[in-house]
């Protein structure tokens, strides 16, 4: 199993909408590196659901429910999406400020490549962030 972090602006698509919808296609990614990350995701992988801009915190955990396929929102057919399923809320949201303040997370992709909307998370970082948020991984 691989781990990821996916970002969404809560005023565009929030954690509560993800929970309400259950399984949702993760569409609209238009960055080549983020596209590669989406294409690498496999059914069963887990991802942190991160609210960007407003909140700037990990608020939940999702699971990849469908491997990458053509993004139906892309007119040119060059982009991909995956389907994700809500697993549960992060008991204690983990803020970007807390992540930046933690030296064990200095090389976390979210911090190093802050503009990417889909980033990998190492096993060690996953376990660390789960502990910070009170999530039983």
């Amino acid at each position: 199993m691989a781990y990821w972090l996916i970002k969404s602006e809560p005023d565009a698509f929030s954690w509560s909408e993800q929970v309400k919808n259950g399984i949702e296609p993760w569409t609209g990614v238009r960055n080549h590196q983020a596209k590669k990350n989406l294409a690498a995701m496999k059914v069963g992988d887990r991802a942190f659901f991160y609210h960007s801009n407003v909140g700037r915190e990990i608020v939940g955990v999702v699971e990849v429910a469908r491997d990458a396929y053509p993004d139906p929102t892309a007119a040119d057919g060059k982009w991909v999406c995956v389907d994700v399923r809500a697993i549960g809320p992060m008991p204690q949201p983990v803020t970007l400020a807390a992540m930046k303040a933690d030296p064990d997370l200095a090389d976390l992709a979210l911090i190093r490549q802050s503009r990417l909307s889909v980033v990998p998370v190492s096993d060690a970082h996953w376990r660390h962030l789960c502990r910070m948020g009170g999530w039983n991984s």
Side-chain angles (χ1 to χ4, degrees), residues 10 50-57 95-96:
Y50 178 85
H51 276 167
S52 62
N53 294 340
V54 178
R56 294 184 181 176
E57 60 190 359
T95 66
L96 179 61

Side-chain angles (χ1 to χ4, degrees), residues 83-130:
D83 289 353
V84 295
R85 172 188 302 110
I87 299 299
M90 185 61 72
Q92 190 72 25
V94 181
T95 66
L96 179 61
M99 289 182 254
K100 284 184 172 183
D102 190 326
D104 290 336
L105 299 173
D107 61 343
L108 181 67
L110 173 67
I111 295 168
R112 288 186 297 102
Q113 298 171 302
S114 63
R115 293 197 161 268
L116 280 182
S117 60
V118 179
V119 294
V121 175
S122 71
D123 291 353
H125 286 154
W126 180 267
R127 289 189 304 274
H128 190 82
L129 289 163
C130 285

Side-chain angles (χ1 to χ4, degrees), residues 12 14 26 29 31-32 41 51 66 69 76 88-89 106 118 130-131:
S14 68
W26 203 261
V29 173
N31 172 284
H32 289 287
M41 292 176 148
H51 276 167
R66 181 178 175 189
Y69 61 96
D76 60 12
V118 179
C130 285
R131 280 193 301 277

